[in-house]
Amino acid sequence: MSFPLLTATAALPAIGAIATAAVPAARRTAAKWLALLVSLATLALAIVVLVRFDPDGARYQLTESHAWIAEFGVRYELGVDGIGVALLALTALLIPFIILAGWHDADPLETGSRRWRPTQGFFALILAVEAMVIISFEATDVFLFYIFFEAMLIPMYFLIGGFGDRAHAGSDENAAAQRSYAAVKFLLYNLVGGLIMLAAVIGLYVVAGNFSLTEIAEARANGSLDMATNTERWLFLGFFFAFAVKAPLWPLHTWLPNAMGEATAPVAVLITAVVDKVGTFAMLRFCLQLFPEASKWATPAILVLAVISIIYGALLAVGQRDIKRLVAYASISHFGFIIMGIFAMTSQGQSGATLYMVNHGISTAALMLVAGFLISRRGSRLIADYGGVQKVAPVLAGTFLIGGLATLSLPGLAPFVSEFLVLVGTFARYPVIGIIATFGIVLAALYTLVLYQRTMTGPVKPEVSAMPDLRMRELVVVAPLVVLLIFLGVYPKPVTDIVNPAVKSTMSDVHKKDPKPEVEAAK
C-alpha cells in the first residue's frame, strides 16, 4: 500500500494540536515552538503533495478510499484536483506565518494576575483549524466533507471569543462582551448554514444512494442517475446557502466584520484567508459538479448577489474608521469577485476565481498582519489615532503600502492577474455584470489610498513618535508574503498551470463552453 500522503498532511497538524495542548502551562515558549515546527512539517508535506501532483494526469490524484460507515454508504475518501491542491498549499503556507505573527498574542495579560489565557490552547486551536481545513480540501466523500466543514467552527469560536484583540476601546468587560457577541454570531450564522446543508446532504443520499462525489458525478454524466429538476434545485440551494455563509456572500456576510474586528490579527487572517476559502472552493467542487443544471439555473441571481457584494463591501470599506473592519469589508468585496468568476461559467472566470483565492489569501495576510503589528504598537484600531507613521517606521509603512496596493489589485502584484481574468471571463458572457463590477476596483483604490494617507503620511502624531519599526520576527513574517505577491504578479504561470485542467473539467461538468469572440483573429 502506498503511503497515505493526504491523510498524513491533515493528521500531522491534528496530532500537533493535541501535543501542543498537552505542554505544561509553565512551558509556554515550548508550546509555541512545537506548534511552529509542526506547521513547518505540514508545509513540507504539502510541498510533497504539490510536487507529486500531475496537472495533466487524472482529475483526482493521490486518492485514498476506505470503508467507514458501510451501512450508510459513507467512505473515507480523499483526493485532490488542481484547485484543491493549490488551496491546500496556500493553507499550509500561511499557518507558519500566522503562528509567528501571533507569537505573543496569547501571553498572560498581567504577570501574577488571574487574567490569564492558555497560550498552549491558542496555538493548538490554530493547528486544529489547519487540519480540518486541509481535509476539507481533500475530501471526495460528501459526508466526510460535511463533518469537517462544520467541525472547524468549534476551534474558530474559541479563537475569536477567547483570544480577542487587546486594542479594544472601552473597558475589559465591554471588550469581553464584544468578543463574545462576535464569536456567537459567527457560530450561529455558520451553524444555520450547516444545518440547511445537512438536510441537503441527507436528500442527496436519498436520491443517489451514496455520498461519493466521484460516483455521483459519474452517474449523473452517464445518465444512470437522473434527478428531478425541482429536487436538484432544492439540493443545490441547500449546499449553496451553507457555502455562501462561509464565503461570505451578501446578505449573509454580517458575521465577518464582527469576527475579524474582535479577533487578533493572525486569527482574522485565519478566518478570511484560510477558513472562508472552503466556501468558495466547495462551490466549485460540489455545487457545479453535483448539480450542474441547477447551477446554471441559479447563475443570474448569484451573479447579482456577487456584484452587490463587490460594490457594497467596497462602499462600506470607504466609510470605516476601524482598520480591521475596513479590511473585513474589503474582503467581502473580494469574495464577490471570486463568486462572480465561478458562476460566470467561463474558463477565464473560473481560473481567475481560483487564482484569486490564492492571491487574496496572500495579499490579505500581508495587509492584515502588518496592520496587526501597527495596532499592537499604538494600542488602537482607529484610523484617526495614526498619522506620519512612515517617518518613524518606514519599513512598516512600506510593507503596509505593498499590502494595500495588492488589495486594490495594482498591476504587477498578484491579485491584479486574477481580478483581470475574472472580469474578462465575466464580460465575455455577462457584459453588464462585468461593467458594474469594475466600479469595485475604483472604490478599492479609494479606500486603500485613503487608509494609507491617513495612517502613514502627514504630521507625526505624538502618540506614534516613538513607534519602533518592524522587528526581525515580524520581517520574517512579512517579507516572504511580499516576495510572493511580486512573483505571482509577474509570473502566475506556476499556479495557472495547476488549476487550468481542473477548471476545464468543471466547465465540462456544467456542459459549458467559452463564448466565441465576436471578431475572429487574423490568420
Side-chain angles (χ1 to χ4, degrees), residues 297-420:
W297 163 76
T299 286
I302 294 172
L303 288 176
V304 170
L305 294 178
V307 169
I308 293 174
S309 288
I310 292 169
I311 305 301
Y312 173 86
L315 282 173
L316 265 65
V318 171
Q320 288 303 305
R321 297 181 297 172
D322 182 311
I323 296 174
K324 292 169 70 178
R325 289 178 70 90
L326 185 152
V327 178
Y329 280 110
S331 290
I332 292 169
S333 182
H334 295 150
F335 275 104
F337 276 107
I338 294 170
I339 295 170
M340 185 178 74
I342 291 171
F343 285 91
M345 300 295 181
T346 60
S347 58
Q348 300 99 325
Q350 292 185 358
S351 292
T354 306
L355 187 60
Y356 211 139
M357 292 186 225
V358 175
N359 292 337
H360 173 263
I362 299 170
S363 63
T364 299
L367 180 61
M368 180 59 86
L369 292 179
V370 176
F373 298 150
L374 177 70
I375 291 167
S376 67
R377 286 159 165 74
R378 174 68 178 83
S380 173
R381 300 178 346 214
L382 298 178
I383 296 172
D385 289 340
Y386 296 88
V389 174
Q390 68 178 10
K391 296 178 182 177
V392 297
V395 177
L396 188 155
T399 52
F400 189 81
L401 177 61
I402 294 173
L405 293 177
T407 298
L408 65 82
S409 299
L410 183 77
L413 296 176
F416 169 76
V417 181
S418 44
E419 197 165 279
F420 178 78

Side-chain angles (χ1 to χ4, degrees), residues 125 128-129 132 147-162 183 186-187 190-191 246:
L125 289 170
V129 172
M132 294 175 186
I147 287 175
F148 289 97
F149 179 82
E150 287 290 275
M152 69 180 71
L153 301 180
I154 304 305
M156 286 306 308
Y157 168 80
F158 288 109
L159 283 169
I160 297 168
F186 161 82
L187 188 63
N190 284 275
L191 276 178
K246 183 85 79 178

Side-chain angles (χ1 to χ4, degrees), residues 137 149 242-244 246-247 275-284 342:
F137 291 142
F149 179 82
F243 303 152
K246 183 85 79 178
V275 171
D276 288 354
K277 297 300 186 299
V278 177
T280 47
F281 162 79
M283 291 178 189
L284 278 165
I342 291 171

Side-chain angles (χ1 to χ4, degrees), residues 20-163:
T20 301
V23 173
R27 305 290 302 274
R28 288 190 301 272
T29 302
K32 296 176 185 181
W33 279 106
L34 176 60
L36 179 60
L37 291 173
V38 168
S39 69
L40 291 172
T42 304
L43 175 58
L45 280 178
I47 292 172
V48 174
V49 171
L50 195 61
V51 170
R52 290 190 58 184
F53 182 82
D54 179 10
D56 298 319
R59 180 171 188 175
Y60 292 105
Q61 299 179 33
L62 305 174
T63 56
E64 302 172 30
S65 181
H66 307 282
W68 185 18
I69 310 175
E71 294 82 358
F72 297 100
V74 180
R75 296 186 64 81
Y76 176 80
E77 284 190 351
L78 304 180
V80 286
D81 61 359
I83 300 168
V85 79
L87 294 175
L88 186 156
L90 171 70
T91 301
L93 173 71
L94 290 181
I95 295 299
F97 297 128
I98 288 171
I99 290 174
L100 269 177
W103 201 251
H104 298 297
D105 285 355
D107 288 349
L109 297 174
E110 294 176 3
T111 304
S113 169
R114 292 184 180 180
R115 298 173 63 206
W116 172 81
R117 299 188 293 184
T119 303
Q120 299 89 328
F122 178 76
F123 295 100
L125 289 170
I126 291 175
L127 291 176
V129 172
E130 179 183 21
M132 294 175 186
V133 169
I134 286 175
I135 205 165
S136 297
F137 291 142
E138 298 172 344
T140 56
D141 182 279
V142 177
F143 191 78
L144 178 66
F145 170 83
Y146 173 78
I147 287 175
F148 289 97
F149 179 82
E150 287 290 275
M152 69 180 71
L153 301 180
I154 304 305
M156 286 306 308
Y157 168 80
F158 288 109
L159 283 169
I160 297 168
F163 300 92

